[in-house]
Amino acid sequence: MRVSIKLKFSVFLAALLILTVVVLSSLVLRGIERNQQSQIEGILSQQTRLVNLNVRQSYYTESVHLEQDVFLQQNGRRLAQELANSTGLPIALYDMKGQQVGSSISSGESAIVQDTLNYALQNKIAYHEQGDTLLYAAPLDGPDGQMGAVWMQYPVQSYHEFYTRILQLFIWAGIVVVALSFILGYLFYNRFAVAITRLKRSADSIREGNYITESPLKRKDELGELGQGIYYMSTSIQQNITAMHAEQQKLQLAIEKLQALEQQQKQYIGNISHEFKTPLTSIKAYVELLDMYKDDPQLLDDATSNIGKETERLYEMVEKVLHLSALEKYDFENQAEDVEVSALLKDACGRMRGKAEKFALNMELDLEPAVIRSDRESLMHIFINMLDNAIKYNVPDGVIRVKNELRMQERQAVIRIYNSGMPIPAEAREKIFEPFYTVNKDRARKTGGTGLGLSLVKQFVEKQGGTITLLSGDPEDGEGVTFQLMFPLADSSLQVRNKSE
């Protein structure tokens, strides 16, 4: 059987209120009862003092020469009547033997409990309640100590009626409060039930794929936070699904890219075949001429020289193709170490200076100390290839400038290699690092270029964690070609620089 949450909350509230009313009523009634008892005891204590005062006054004025027992026996009846008249309460007087010496109580009302009287004869106060009457016994003091006991009857009907009225008031007030609280609680919790229902509908809507565009509740409490959480959850699910669709599109693009790469691979193989065919065709032509004209010394010299050049070009091309393929296929382990860049650049320039002087090229260096974390052999291979490229594609009597600098904020070492050759056209700038791409095919054949050097360098640079970019000439020297290489600085270089600062 399904019980709604608002009914559960309302019943719980009603039970809590009933418990509260019962506990509060018990405490209040107990307080009233104690207050009435204290009030009655105060009145009777005051009446007892008045009785004792009147008895002593009568003794001193009338019978000072008599014993206390004799005085009480002779005047007890009169004193009981006078005290009853002055106090307005039925009074009885007793001597120390427990014998009644005077009473204003009617015969039907004079029965007392002996135990209660015995307490009063022992100089103690005792009382006993019978119905609507309180029977009160107290010591009766004389000039020489206790001479007996006084017995009084005090009506408590009014106290009982007041207590009963308060009890009935609490009962009716409790019934009204519980009833109103149940009704108001039911209406109040109904708002929570409606809010929870709205949250459930929002959750069902999300489950069905209908995402919410705002929080289902506009409240500043826990339910409002829950509604906001459901809204955020809906937004996150929607974003994740959108991201999944985006990833699906990326996968589709990746598939298309793989297909394009396959096409590039076919083109790559075609380019290799074409590049290999050119020197092989030249070699074959000279072999056929030598077979036809074996005795021509001039032809023999030309054939030997050209076949050697074409063979060297073919060998270099094969070596670079194999190296490039190995870099793309295998992840070779680099022997990373701290390398001083300026020293390595000087070494590379020293190796290539002879080839530069052969083409009447001037090589200038502007270096500063810098330490990077890299593989020394790979770094040397990068510098040699870049310098060789600067020599091949330079102009006669041109210049090659090698410069490096430190960018401490970026934690980078920047190396620029400039040559004064013809600038690379804008349409070729993005293709310059592709295998077998050369800006000028005829010039590449004259200089022995294969179009593989920059592609190989790019692979080496990226494996060392660096980048290579083509700049628009050297800003200090005008036209030309400038390649910029950037490598992360080693920790040791940073520490040395910080100490120097």
Side-chain angles (χ1 to χ4, degrees):
M1 180 179 178
R2 182 177 177 271
V3 181
S4 66
I5 190 172
K6 55 186 176 182
L7 182 59
K8 291 180 180 178
F9 282 167
S10 300
V11 171
F12 174 76
L13 178 62
L16 187 62
L17 286 172
I18 290 173
L19 179 62
T20 303
V21 169
V22 170
V23 173
L24 183 61
S25 301
S26 300
L27 293 175
V28 172
L29 292 174
R30 180 68 61 84
I32 292 174
E33 188 177 11
R34 290 179 179 177
N35 182 66
Q36 289 178 344
Q37 182 180 357
S38 176
Q39 185 178 1
I40 293 171
E41 288 178 353
I43 293 173
L44 292 176
S45 177
Q46 183 178 3
Q47 295 296 336
T48 301
R49 287 195 296 271
L50 181 60
V51 167
N52 285 323
L53 180 62
N54 288 335
V55 170
R56 285 196 298 270
Q57 182 179 2
S58 177
Y59 177 80
Y60 286 127
T61 56
E62 298 179 7
S63 305
V64 68
H65 57 283
L66 297 176
E67 295 292 334
Q68 291 183 153
D69 292 342
V70 176
F71 168 78
L72 197 57
Q73 289 290 336
Q74 293 178 358
N75 300 284
R77 190 180 298 274
R78 177 181 60 82
L79 287 173
Q81 191 63 45
E82 289 177 356
L83 291 173
N85 293 334
S86 62
T87 60
L89 299 175
I91 291 178
L93 299 178
Y94 294 85
D95 59 16
M96 291 301 295
K97 296 178 181 180
Q99 295 179 355
Q100 189 181 88
V101 296
S103 176
S104 65
I105 302 173
S106 61
S107 59
E109 298 176 343
S110 61
I112 62 172
V113 179
Q114 189 64 36
D115 292 339
T116 305
L117 181 60
N118 290 336
Y119 272 99
L121 294 175
Q122 296 174 10
N123 200 22
K124 297 178 182 179
I125 296 175
Y127 55 85
H128 177 72
E129 188 173 336
Q130 284 185 341
D132 293 333
T133 302
L134 182 69
L135 306 178
Y136 183 85
L140 182 63
D141 297 331
D144 299 325
Q146 185 178 359
M147 67 171 63
V150 59
W151 184 271
M152 291 182 285
Q153 293 182 352
Y154 187 77
V156 293
Q157 181 179 0
S158 60
Y159 294 99
H160 290 169
E161 292 176 352
F162 177 76
Y163 184 88
T164 303
R165 287 197 300 272
I166 295 298
L167 178 60
Q168 293 175 350
L169 177 63
F170 272 113
I171 292 174
W172 286 109
I175 293 174
V176 172
V177 167
V178 170
L180 288 176
S181 300
F182 181 83
I183 295 172
L184 294 176
Y186 188 86
L187 296 176
F188 178 74
Y189 288 124
N190 183 62
R191 296 177 63 247
F192 287 93
V194 171
I196 293 172
T197 302
R198 293 181 63 182
L199 292 174
K200 182 179 180 300
R201 285 202 299 266
S202 299
D204 292 339
S205 178
I206 295 172
R207 179 171 55 83
E208 294 172 358
N210 301 319
Y211 304 105
I212 58 178
T213 58
E214 61 179 359
S215 176
L217 297 177
K218 304 294 184 181
R219 300 170 62 101
K220 296 182 179 180
D221 56 9
E222 288 78 0
L223 286 177
E225 293 177 358
L226 179 59
Q228 195 71 20
I230 291 176
Y231 166 66
Y232 289 149
M233 180 185 69
S234 174
T235 304
S236 299
I237 293 174
Q238 187 176 15
Q239 291 174 351
N240 290 335
I241 291 179
T242 303
M244 288 175 61
H245 288 312
E247 290 296 328
Q248 186 177 6
Q249 293 178 355
K250 289 180 181 178
L251 288 174
Q252 183 65 31
L253 291 174
I255 293 173
E256 295 175 358
K257 188 174 181 180
L258 287 174
Q259 293 174 347
L261 287 175
E262 184 181 1
Q263 184 65 30
Q264 289 179 4
Q265 185 180 20
K266 293 179 180 179
Q267 184 178 358
Y268 180 76
I269 294 173
N271 289 336
I272 290 177
S273 302
H274 177 74
E275 293 294 335
F276 281 3
K277 184 178 179 180
T278 301
L280 289 174
T281 300
S282 177
I283 292 171
K284 181 180 179 182
Y286 276 110
V287 170
E288 290 176 352
L289 287 173
L290 286 174
D291 187 51
M292 294 172 60
Y293 306 100
K294 298 180 181 180
D295 297 331
D296 189 342
Q298 182 64 38
L299 177 61
L300 182 61
D301 291 340
D302 292 342
T304 302
S305 176
N306 288 318
I307 288 174
K309 290 179 181 179
E310 295 297 338
T311 303
E312 181 66 25
R313 181 166 177 263
L314 187 62
Y315 178 80
E316 181 182 355
M317 192 184 305
V318 171
E319 186 179 37
K320 288 186 176 181
V321 167
L322 292 175
H323 205 164
L324 184 63
S325 298
L327 283 176
E328 292 178 348
K329 185 175 182 181
Y330 303 106
D331 186 13
F332 289 103
E333 182 179 357
N334 292 320
Q335 300 296 327
E337 57 181 306
D338 288 351
V339 180
E340 215 293 314
V341 176
S342 59
L344 200 65
L345 282 171
K346 288 179 183 179
D347 187 9
C349 291
R351 297 184 188 186
M352 300 300 294
R353 192 175 295 278
K355 187 173 182 178
E357 291 176 352
K358 179 180 178 181
F359 292 96
L361 299 176
N362 186 26
M363 190 175 292
E364 301 176 359
L365 304 180
D366 182 9
L367 306 176
E368 60 176 296
V371 180
I372 65 175
R373 189 75 176 170
S374 178
D375 179 67
R376 183 180 295 273
E377 293 300 326
S378 297
L379 208 57
M380 177 60 78
H381 189 89
I382 292 169
F383 294 156
I384 293 294
N385 271 273
M386 293 303 299
L387 291 172
D388 185 62
N389 186 78
I391 293 171
K392 287 180 180 179
Y393 296 101
N394 214 319
V395 294
D397 299 321
V399 64
I400 298 173
R401 290 192 178 90
V402 181
K403 179 180 180 181
N404 78 313
E405 62 179 18
L406 276 71
R407 295 181 182 177
M408 299 305 297
Q409 292 183 350
E410 302 176 12
R411 303 168 65 93
Q412 296 278 345
V414 180
I415 302 167
R416 292 193 182 95
I417 300 177
Y418 164 82
N419 72 78
S420 55
M422 294 298 294
I424 297 176
E427 63 273 10
R429 295 175 67 85
E430 295 182 359
K431 301 179 180 180
I432 196 69
F433 296 104
E434 294 180 3
F436 294 107
Y437 183 83
T438 55
V439 177
N440 190 319
K441 296 290 183 182
D442 295 333
R443 179 172 172 79
R445 291 191 180 93
K446 290 178 183 179
T447 58
T450 62
L452 292 171
L454 288 178
S455 177
L456 197 59
V457 166
K458 187 173 185 295
Q459 294 280 351
F460 273 115
V461 170
E462 290 178 350
K463 285 187 178 297
Q464 305 307 312
T467 59
I468 180 171
T469 52
L470 173 64
L471 304 181
S472 301
D474 193 312
E476 299 178 359
D477 299 297
E479 291 187 351
V481 178
T482 302
F483 287 94
Q484 176 176 280
L485 297 93
M486 297 180 68
F487 296 97
L489 287 171
D491 294 338
S492 58
S493 179
L494 294 171
Q495 293 172 0
V496 171
R497 185 60 178 260
N498 292 333
K499 289 180 179 179
S500 63
E501 293 177 353

